Amino acid sequence: MLKFTTFYTKDGKLTPDSRTHITPPADSKLVGDEVVGRNALIVGKALELAGYDIPMFFAGDISELDSPNPQITMHLRSGIYPIAVTMDANNNYLLDLK
């Protein structure tokens, strides 16, 4: 399982968005570090909910991004959403609602 939330920019700096962002638990940790893709972006309906396109992964195994059956969830104040992942022609992971 891989979990993420999101941020928005303000004056060029990444800042938590109080409308959508959740604060990850202090004991959360990310494992794994080898992935095929270059970048990850929140897109589509997930972007509409999150309000910003940059994911902040905070717990789980990052290799879920390359899994044939990924177990990924987006955590926002409004709820927890299952996420599907695809890769575009530029090797970017595109994260959208299942």
Side-chain angles (χ1 to χ4, degrees):
M1 174 73 67
L2 179 60
K3 301 175 183 181
F4 71 90
T5 188
T6 189
F7 286 99
Y8 76 103
T9 60
K10 184 175 182 179
D11 301 329
K13 297 179 183 176
L14 288 176
T15 312
D17 181 339
S18 61
R19 292 177 299 120
T20 60
H21 174 76
I22 59 126
T23 302
D27 62 349
S28 296
K29 63 181 176 180
L30 204 53
V31 297
D33 59 1
E34 296 287 326
V35 292
V36 174
R38 299 175 20 177
N39 199 2
L41 299 169
I42 302 168
V43 298
K45 296 286 185 187
L47 176 59
E48 290 176 25
L49 287 169
Y52 194 62
D53 65 347
I54 297 179
M56 183 189 83
F57 298 104
F58 66 87
D61 187 346
I62 197 75
S63 67
E64 286 289 331
L65 290 167
D66 294 321
S67 172
N69 296 307
Q71 299 297 309
I72 302 173
T73 52
M74 178 173 68
H75 295 246
L76 303 174
R77 289 189 188 276
S78 59
I80 298 172
Y81 304 90
I83 296 295
V85 61
T86 57
M87 189 177 290
D88 69 10
N90 295 318
N91 284 347
N92 294 309
Y93 297 107
L94 304 178
L95 308 169
D96 200 354
L97 297 183
K98 279 190 176 178

